[in-house]
Amino acid sequence: MIEAKNSITEIWLAGGCFWGVQAFLSRLPGVIHTEVGYANGNTQNPTYEDVCRRSTGHAETVYVKFDKTKIAMEKLLDYFFRIIDPTLLNRQGNDIGIQYRTGIYYKNPEDRENIESYINGKQASYKGKILTEVLPLDNFYKAEDYHQEYLDKNPNGYCHIDLAILNEIGKE
């Protein structure tokens, strides 16, 4: 079945190390394409080493293209919030640094209100303040090829996300 062109949309999600975030999001029903990269930093075309060792300000981020008739933005965010701790600043799992902050980045200004409403509704579920940044996407640079679908190519690679959560989603 061919998706209606106006049902395809995109969002950029930062949730710590992008390997596991991509492995998780790419398996969700309705997600058409994912790509890992570096978002909202202050340098052009950074490398992984730049992001890890220099003050580029980029977040490890996953570009997500999805069909909103198959997975609504709110549902996608529900799944995203299952794999992150949005109350942590600049860390997820064992990874620490500004590049591991959580963020939701958008291009469509209409998405901002929906995302902020979602987060405001979610806040009651957490003891700490949700620190996930919600910002327009200023820039996104595709990460090196060896980072793309890293956990598919390296099944025993490091991942701070319990991908077994996907089994629960399949039963919903």
Side-chain angles (χ1 to χ4, degrees), residues 8-16 18-19 21-28 30-39 59-67 73 76 80 103-108 111 137 139-143 147-149:
I8 307 302
T9 192
E10 56 193 2
I11 195 81
W12 291 258
L13 301 173
F18 50 28
W19 294 341
V21 177
Q22 181 182 38
F24 180 82
L25 295 173
S26 68
R27 290 166 172 81
L28 295 176
V31 170
I32 297 165
H33 177 74
T34 60
E35 187 172 277
V36 298
Y38 314 110
E60 288 193 16
T61 302
V62 179
Y63 164 70
V64 183
K65 183 176 175 181
F66 64 101
D67 183 339
M73 174 78 76
L76 182 64
F80 177 60
I104 303 170
Y105 311 117
Y106 58 89
K107 277 190 180 176
N108 183 346
D111 288 337
L137 183 74
N139 53 56
F140 179 81
Y141 299 97
K142 183 179 175 182
H147 288 296
Q148 305 300 326
E149 289 106 21

Side-chain angles (χ1 to χ4, degrees), residues 5 16 18-19 30 34 37 41-42 44-45 48 54 56 62 70 81 121 128-129 139 142-143 155-156:
K5 187 170 182 138
F18 50 28
W19 294 341
T34 60
N42 54 35
Q44 294 183 0
N45 299 308
Y48 182 69
R54 294 175 182 83
T56 68
V62 179
K70 295 181 180 174
F81 270 65
K129 181 173 175 21
N139 53 56
K142 183 179 175 182
N156 295 320

Side-chain angles (χ1 to χ4, degrees), residues 41-43 45-59 97-99 101:
N42 54 35
T43 62
N45 299 308
T47 64
Y48 182 69
E49 184 166 318
D50 292 338
V51 171
C52 290
R53 293 187 173 76
R54 294 175 182 83
S55 298
T56 68
H58 287 88
I98 193 169
Q99 73 270 28
R101 68 188 181 271

Side-chain angles (χ1 to χ4, degrees), residues 79-143:
Y79 291 142
F80 177 60
F81 270 65
R82 286 188 192 186
I83 62 168
I84 65 167
D85 181 342
T87 66
L88 296 177
L89 182 63
N90 298 335
R91 80 173 294 164
Q92 290 294 299
N94 294 325
D95 300 311
I96 300 171
I98 193 169
Q99 73 270 28
Y100 300 117
R101 68 188 181 271
T102 59
I104 303 170
Y105 311 117
Y106 58 89
K107 277 190 180 176
N108 183 346
E110 295 167 10
D111 288 337
R112 180 184 181 149
E113 186 177 321
N114 294 331
I115 295 165
E116 288 180 346
S117 175
Y118 174 83
I119 289 179
N120 289 337
K122 236 9 204 177
Q123 183 58 67
S125 303
Y126 293 92
K127 289 180 183 177
K129 181 173 175 21
I130 290 178
L131 302 175
T132 302
E133 60 186 15
V134 176
L135 296 168
L137 183 74
D138 286 333
N139 53 56
F140 179 81
Y141 299 97
K142 183 179 175 182

